Amino acid sequence: MELSEAIKGRRSVRHFEERAVEEEKIRSVLESAVWAPSGGNQQNWRFLVVRDKAKLKRYAQIIERTYRELVEKFGDERLRAKLEGSIFGYTLFEDAPVLIVVVATAYHSTSATLSAKKRGEPVKNGITVAGISGVAAAIQNLLLKAHELGLGACWMTSCLVAEGELEEVLGIEPPDRLAAFVPLGYPAGEPPKLKPRKEGVIEFLD
Ligand SMILES: Cc1cc2nc3c(=O)[nH]c(=O)nc-3n(C[C@H](O)[C@H](O)[C@H](O)COP(=O)(O)O)c2cc1C
């Protein structure tokens, strides 16, 4: 597959066939993820592969319960009104044959350290913008490779609504942090619609 075709043809897939994904394809997708660039080549990521339906259900239940509680407690009118319809965007991974849990691991940033010292703030060598950027690049690689292999995937950060509890259940300990859930599987149903991109976001400052 041509690179431009992969970049433009990839869509977020939210409906999956029940059929299992071959382990070699899962490995191939993750192999592409780890070839992403990372600040200082720190490769500050980990990937957990979950295929057990009961585990996926448990994570989905945690997320739905937390999301409902938080919307009821802190949500405005608009958020409350769309609560039922929005739950799918939080729990859709439950019906995928594979869930890839992306974990951001500690990232030691010289620039963030110097900048924190200048501000007299404590140095945080955990999760920084630079650290997360590498993890994001890995996720994009993963999505593109999945698309090339005829698989569908969806980058999901809505799971972070319950990050603390999920980290506990998944055994993710500080300084590591949950970064995303990425369900993976063979796409089912209608292909997702193309979402046009915004114009006017590119500026040459010559
Ligand atoms: C950082 C990030 C977080 C996202 N989180 C979710 C999510 O929690 N649930 C979901 O259904 N889609 C999620 N998406 C998918 C976006 O909705 C999707 O990429 C966007 O609508 C563009 O559609 P496309 O990926 O098909 O081009 C996320 C995408 C990104 C990059």
Side-chain angles (χ1 to χ4, degrees):
M1 183 181 279
E2 280 284 319
L3 182 59
S4 322
E5 191 189 336
I7 290 172
K8 289 196 174 171
R10 178 215 56 82
R11 293 276 71 76
S12 292
V13 170
R14 298 183 173 87
H15 299 278
F16 305 92
E17 288 182 5
E18 271 182 30
R19 98 171 122 130
V21 177
E22 299 84 338
E23 188 160 323
E24 67 176 19
K25 289 197 178 176
I26 301 173
R27 289 187 183 279
S28 166
V29 157
L30 293 174
E31 160 83 0
S32 294
V34 303
W35 277 98
S38 58
N41 192 27
Q42 290 182 40
Q43 303 178 34
N44 53 300
W45 45 57
R46 284 196 297 130
F47 304 91
L48 313 174
V49 180
V50 187
R51 287 176 286 190
D52 180 346
K53 282 273 159 214
K55 288 194 171 92
L56 296 192
K57 190 166 184 175
R58 185 170 174 210
Y59 308 156
Q61 283 170 343
I62 291 173
I63 291 167
E64 180 170 342
R65 173 177 37 77
T66 311
Y67 179 54
R68 282 183 184 280
E69 279 169 12
L70 294 182
V71 171
E72 272 162 33
K73 207 165 172 189
F74 303 111
D76 56 18
E77 282 292 297
R78 191 191 58 87
L79 208 52
R80 282 177 195 209
K82 64 170 204 165
L83 172 65
E84 297 304 326
S86 63
I87 287 172
F88 179 71
Y90 284 71
T91 58
L92 64 97
F93 63 86
E94 194 185 353
D95 296 321
V98 183
L99 172 68
I100 295 168
V101 178
V102 185
V103 180
T105 62
Y107 177 78
H108 302 277
S109 164
T110 306
S111 48
T113 301
L114 292 173
S115 161
K117 282 191 173 163
K118 182 181 161 202
R119 293 195 307 270
E121 290 173 2
V123 176
K124 285 189 236 152
N125 267 332
I127 306 306
T128 61
V129 172
I132 288 294
S133 301
V135 178
I139 297 173
Q140 175 69 351
N141 272 11
L142 183 169
L143 299 181
L144 291 175
K145 186 66 188 180
H147 178 56
E148 187 196 37
L149 295 176
L151 296 165
C154 185
W155 183 337
M156 299 180 70
T157 52
S158 47
C159 56
L160 298 176
V161 76
E163 56 186 336
E165 194 172 344
L166 289 173
E167 282 165 352
E168 222 176 287
V169 168
L170 286 157
I172 301 169
E173 291 186 359
D176 293 3
R177 294 268 305 265
L178 172 63
F181 271 12
V182 183
L184 184 73
Y186 287 96
E190 289 287 299
K193 288 205 179 70
L194 186 147
K195 296 184 181 164
R197 280 1 192 194
K198 286 182 188 168
E199 301 277 347
V201 296
I202 300 165
E203 199 177 340
F204 285 72
L205 295 179
D206 295 348

